[in-house]
Amino acid sequence: MSAEPVRLARRPDGAALVIAAILAGIAAVIVWQTSQMRVPPIQARIGPTVFPYIIAAGLGLLSIGTVVSAFRRGFPPREDDNFIPIAWIIGGLVAQLLTLGWAGFSIGTGILFAFTAKAFGRGPLWQTIPLGVVFAFAVWFIFAKGLQLSLPMGPLERLVP
Amino acid sequence: MDTFGLLAEGLLAALQLQNLIYALIGVTLGTAVGVLPGIGPALTVALLLPVTYRLDPAGSLIMFAGIYYGGMYGGSTTSILLNTPGESASIVTALEGNKMARKGRGGPALATAAIGSFIAGLIATLALAFVAPWVVKFALAFGPAEYFALMVLAFITVSAAFGDSALRGLTALFIGLGLGIIGIDLQTGQARLSFGIPDLLDGIEVTTLAVALFAIGETLKIAADRALAKEEVLAVKGSIWMTKDDWKRSWIPWLRGSAIGFPIGAMPAGGADVASFLSYSAERTFAKRPEEFGHGAIEGVAGPEAANNASAAGTLVPLLTLGLPTTATAAIMLAGFQQFGLQPGPLLFTNNASLVWALIASLLVANFMLIVLNLPLIGLWVKLLTIPRPWLYGGILVFATLGTLGANGAMSGRLGPISFSFELLLLLAFGILGYLLRRFGYPIAPVVVGLILGPMAEQQLRRALAISQGDPMILVHSPIAITLYVVAAAAVLLPLYLRLRGRGDVLGQLASDED
Amino acid sequence: MNKFILAALVSGALALPSFAADYTIMAPAAPGGGWDQTARTMQESLQAEGISGNVQVTNVPGAGGTIGLAQFVNQSNGDRNALIVGGYVMVGAILTNASPVTLDQVTPIARLTGEAIAIVVPASSALQSVDDLAAALKENTGAVSWAGGSAGGADHITAGLITKAVGADPTQVNYIAYSGGGEALAAVLGGQVTVGISGYSEFASQIEAGELRLLAVSTAERVPNVDAPTLKESGVDVAVQNWRMVAAAPGITDEQKAAISADIEKMVNSASWKAALESRGWVNTYLAGDAFKAQLTEDIAATESILREIGLVQ
């Protein structure tokens, strides 16, 4: 892939090896799932299993390519990412996912807003969560009441007749 | 009455003060909703169409035209400034546009998008008025074999978006292709890779994937970046207007984008996304400075934005002449037209001539309103970047999840007593994927391109072979298909040739320096 | 941006006063499709006639309506106000998707509308009648390509039934699925396929314009104001209509079911419903009670057997 000479003496890129393993894993899952399909007896045509097998083969080859690249240190240098903000944002999305159904759009989305703000260094949560809920409620009002979008309802939304 | 007379009459009706106000309201609402990250044109039109039902037919048509063009345009703003396209047709705009914005050239990027959209909208609307019957004949000549050839061409052009490593570009593309297999196979009704989950039967929604990879992936990457966390907001440097050089580099891409976008939009299986991919690749091939691509080349914004808007007008060709909705947005519009008393189809131009011309005139007026509204607003849009990051990205995630819930809000997942939205779970999973791809230097666009093009290519190939009962010669049976394969071959060979010739020049130069 | 939000807020608040819902109708499809339009027409009619003060429509798209159906069955048990719109397409989708939820789990109220499936060829085609089509099918079934909606849907089932009825092998049906009747229309107009098969309304304007020739319609009776024979008249023993229905939640009492049925009957007989059907070109095929239940059972059995023969269900 790159013109760089092979330097096997150096340690391979561990993360790249993990990626290669994941790609190979996906290819295996596609092959396994596709082999389970019952193909209807229709004449003279490429069936529904051909493309999945081609894609799985492609992923398999790319996995091998990634292993080679890992040994050649072909991946660009990675930045020193800070994972704490990522945890806050993912936490916010998970919290929204789990609260939307019973607490409604405003509360669930307000938590997401506050957690995201926290990830970017703005707090404290006891201030930003109410702020987020108010913002999300305004958004809900415009889209659900003004534009008839169906969004999950909770106790707050039910206050609006 | 002749075409010009009918168009003039339509324009006179559209230019009444009351109708101009409706057009302005339509454009404003369309842009305002379309600009929200994660909410694409289809959802915008679906949400705002009912607002127009309250008016008389002429008024509702003109407001609708404003909403349609406003919604199509609005998406480019957040693509450029925040790297958060709301739909697949603005992804390519984000590639170069966001790089420009990061260099403090958000203003010119927005301006070339706005003016390009205007010019493309103008050309394409006029084309709709005068050449629609011929364009539709051309579009109908595309059978499965021709579409497959077009897909081959599109696949080759994707490599333009691969960035600096073919291995990582192809891997991204194949991840998209893999996601594209999920769901019911259209030709046989069999479920593929759905793991028994009913929500996967309809496949992965392109909008969900695009919003997740771009809006959520980008938010995660920026939040994690220690350098960015300290750095203050990136200011817009220099003028927010286009320089003379920008104009010089933009006008040909605008025209080329319009020429690519209109016919592709008119094809029953074309679409704005395919048009924007092809335009991006064309600009990269013909660019005087191809090395700028991937680092903020203005041609890469001007061309695809023009193509995307021209194809929006192109979509109206099969819709009006055949009654054939070719995109989600068009399907919603068809329902809307029926409310206005328009019955799209071959008899439309004879039975409803005055309404059709009123619609075309409305589109022209809306297009004009759009640029009147948006050029002055560019100064305001670039201020979006001055919103403090916590609030800006908080807002982006709110609208990204709102758009996803609005498009498919079913609370179909279950975890004990809690029911949750499966579509949001996908959004989260793909958001994390978007972050990981960025972290390891994989390009994002090919994933979405794979999801869009893979299933199209597969279905068209299988249709072609089913019709021919397995004879592969059908793939090269028509001049159109052969032409497309030749263009595809040229798309591979031309850049190679240009590069070799360029290198030759440099080598020649070096050789002469040795002397 | 705040200005726009404010403007949208104000205009939204002015434009649409909100109500508390009485009936909630689920359309198990995306906005704009046939089921969605049926639900929204019901909404207008029920409100206009004062049968129900407030009606809300929710959309749960996906997988031929089976995702919406599953959600309806799981979440509306015993809810007197919950209704779902559905149709013939659901019958096939439940079978091909091996859906865990079936129509037995809801309380069918009535069939509302029905549409004939049209069998068309391009104007330039050599096929002039159903007899020609039958002859072509018997000669080489695979050489006749059919363009229609998704595999296992009403169009595909009808193509299979016709092939079987003329004495050809239904496993050989060369059916090319398109993601909507519209895309199939383009394939027929472009001469890419032999026959087009889809809802009459999809082809209507092209038939009027003379671009397509209508060989037959699939219903037992002729379609009013349409000059084409039925399949039965043409000697092919097939009668199918692509019907749409309304059903109520599982687990409701008989009194509740009777009350809903009365409301629906009132709606169907109202002037606004009739006017709406007229403007949309739908045919009233209202059928309620046990007669509808019997027809439903019959349709499910016939569909299952042809899908097995085509090979889509095993």
Side-chain angles (χ1 to χ4, degrees), chain B residues 28 54 143 187-188 202 324 463 466, chain C residues 4 16 62-63 174 177 182 192 312:
Chain B
T28 312
R54 290 157 208 285
Q187 295 304 317
T188 60
D202 274 355
L324 190 64
R463 277 181 196 142
Chain C
F4 289 121
L16 298 151
N174 192 358
Q192 316 288 347
L312 285 182

Side-chain angles (χ1 to χ4, degrees), chain C residues 287-307:
Chain C
L287 186 69
D290 289 340
F292 175 51
K293 212 163 182 188
Q295 182 242 323
L296 195 58
T297 320
E298 199 178 301
D299 269 359
I300 292 173
T303 306
E304 190 166 354
S305 100
I306 191 68
L307 284 176

Side-chain angles (χ1 to χ4, degrees), chain C residues 88-194:
Chain C
Y88 187 38
V89 175
M90 242 181 205
V91 175
I94 288 169
L95 293 166
T96 50
N97 299 346
S99 166
V101 178
T102 70
L103 288 178
D104 294 340
Q105 284 162 273
V106 296
T107 313
I109 298 293
R111 184 175 74 191
L112 295 174
T113 63
E115 189 182 36
I117 291 168
I119 294 102
V120 299
V121 292
S124 58
S125 165
L127 302 179
Q128 297 293 334
S129 66
V130 175
D131 285 344
D132 293 350
L133 176 63
L137 280 170
K138 268 190 263 186
E139 197 194 315
N140 184 350
T141 312
V144 177
S145 49
W146 305 74
S150 53
D155 307 342
H156 194 174
I157 291 167
T158 312
L161 288 170
I162 293 173
T163 308
K164 192 180 158 195
V166 303
D169 179 5
T171 57
Q172 297 294 312
V173 174
N174 192 358
Y175 185 81
I176 319 291
Y178 287 85
S179 48
E183 231 189 301
L185 169 64
V188 186
L189 284 175
Q192 316 288 347
V193 290
T194 323

